[in-house]
Amino acid sequence: MRLRYNYRVYPDADQRAALARAFGCARVVFNDGLRARAEAHAAGLPYLCDGDLSKLVITEAKKTPERSWLGEVSAVVLQQALADLNTAYRNFFASLSSKRKGSKAAPPRFRSKRDNRQAIRFTKNARFALTPGGRLRLPKIGDVAVRWSRDLPAEPSSVTVVKDAAGRYFASFVVEAAGHPLPPVESETGIDLGLGHFAVLSNGRKIDSPRFLRRAEKKLKRLQRALARKAKGSNNRVKARAAVARQHAKVADARREFHHRESTKIIRDNQTVVVEDLAVNGLARTRLAKSVHDAGWSSFVGMLEYKAALYGRTFHRIDRWFPSSRLCSACGALAGSMPLNVRLWECSCGAVHDRDVNAAINILAAGRAERLNASGGQVRPPRAVARPGERGSPRGAA
């Protein structure tokens, strides 16, 4: 499987200037290609194929006085920028024809030098290399210092150099890595993600929500107020914007480290992991939006999924409409409406449930049943037994 390994890099002043030129040239080629296709479409002309577009905005453009400086950077950087544009168009067309799974892809947009993220990509054709001294050799940029937090498991097929909003530089290597199956274990777990607790496992373990953004709000408020007082276009405003970006980067880094630590522990301790397919985009439009974004559920679930594949574990998602919170894990009866402030509830069978632990148990049971059914078994998912006179639907379960 393909994995990305990210490392912090520290270019010197000349290398930062060379990277800035490369970022700018890649951005110009991307925008020129997008503009050429938009103009052809407006004029009723056929869609410009990839080869013709490359000749127009790279090969021929280098011969003009207005774009002669494109020759100052590696040609592979320009070709990869155009490859990104072509991929964006293919995703957009696939969304229009309903061939693409997931959310709809928007049409490509023009890139700006003020974007929070600037990136260029080098493939093997660019002949980037790792020097014996541990530096990253990039064509027409030089040997860049890298902070190696760990060794690469194999030879990288490409490297992407990224500059983030905080002014930090990173090298992102794509590596074809083999799986490393862990010794089998007997335990399985279902996970109920939430806001009161970040995650509750079916064995009763509760992972507290660290609320990184909430804890940094006081400092962020001070920095953002200082930014608002700076005159637009001034150097002080640039410095204040960088200070805000650095603080947001600290929050994101802490959240990512937390997700990696907890996801690795869960994958190591359990043979099967079952989660609920949450509608994060919908929840992010409610009054809980800030807390939902602060939790970062999608990132955490993505880590669980790829680590399960890497370490030989089983990962499964159940339907988001499954009434995990309102379903009694003891008798299968379906409770009525249950507001979020109800954390403990008693079923008519006499069982008293912690709302989140009960949901995690039901998620695990549903995942087991779906996996058995998919393999040819006849086991049904936990059955919601409505009480007499109840008209509640599991689709509205919390």
Side-chain angles (χ1 to χ4, degrees), residues 205-275:
R205 178 184 172 224
K206 296 184 177 182
I207 303 174
D208 291 333
S209 181
R211 297 183 175 89
F212 294 108
L213 181 61
R214 296 288 186 182
R215 285 158 48 186
E217 273 186 327
K218 185 175 181 180
K219 187 171 184 178
L220 276 170
K221 186 183 295 185
R222 177 175 58 80
L223 293 173
Q224 287 165 340
R225 283 177 176 172
L227 173 62
R229 288 194 295 267
K230 301 299 186 287
K232 291 185 178 180
S234 66
N235 289 334
N236 283 337
R237 185 175 178 85
V238 173
K239 295 176 184 177
R241 186 188 298 115
V244 174
R246 284 194 297 269
Q247 185 61 31
H248 276 293
K250 289 181 181 179
V251 172
D253 290 346
R255 183 187 298 117
R256 189 181 305 110
E257 171 64 23
F258 169 75
H259 286 168
H260 273 297
R261 185 174 66 250
E262 294 299 337
S263 61
T264 299
K265 180 175 176 58
I266 290 172
I267 291 297
R268 283 178 175 170
D269 293 346
N270 298 280
Q271 187 66 33
T272 300
V273 177
V274 186
V275 300

Side-chain angles (χ1 to χ4, degrees), residues 152-169:
L152 286 171
E155 184 181 356
S157 60
S158 69
V159 60
T160 302
V161 181
V162 180
K163 181 184 179 184
D164 66 6
R168 304 179 301 176
Y169 293 85

Side-chain angles (χ1 to χ4, degrees), residues 57 67 193 226 262 269 271 274 280 344 378 386 397:
V57 301
R67 293 287 188 267
L193 299 173
E262 294 299 337
D269 293 346
Q271 187 66 33
V274 186
V280 176
L344 288 172
Q378 299 298 321

Side-chain angles (χ1 to χ4, degrees), residues 8 12 29 52 58 79 86 92 98 107 121-122 128 133 166 182 189 205 208 211 227 234 245 269 301 350 372 377 388:
R8 184 82 180 269
D12 59 29
V29 167
D52 292 342
I58 297 179
Q79 293 163 359
N86 297 331
F92 173 58
S98 301
R121 184 166 64 253
F122 297 88
F128 71 89
L182 294 172
T189 190
R205 178 184 172 224
D208 291 333
R211 297 183 175 89
L227 173 62
S234 66
D269 293 346
V301 172
L372 284 172

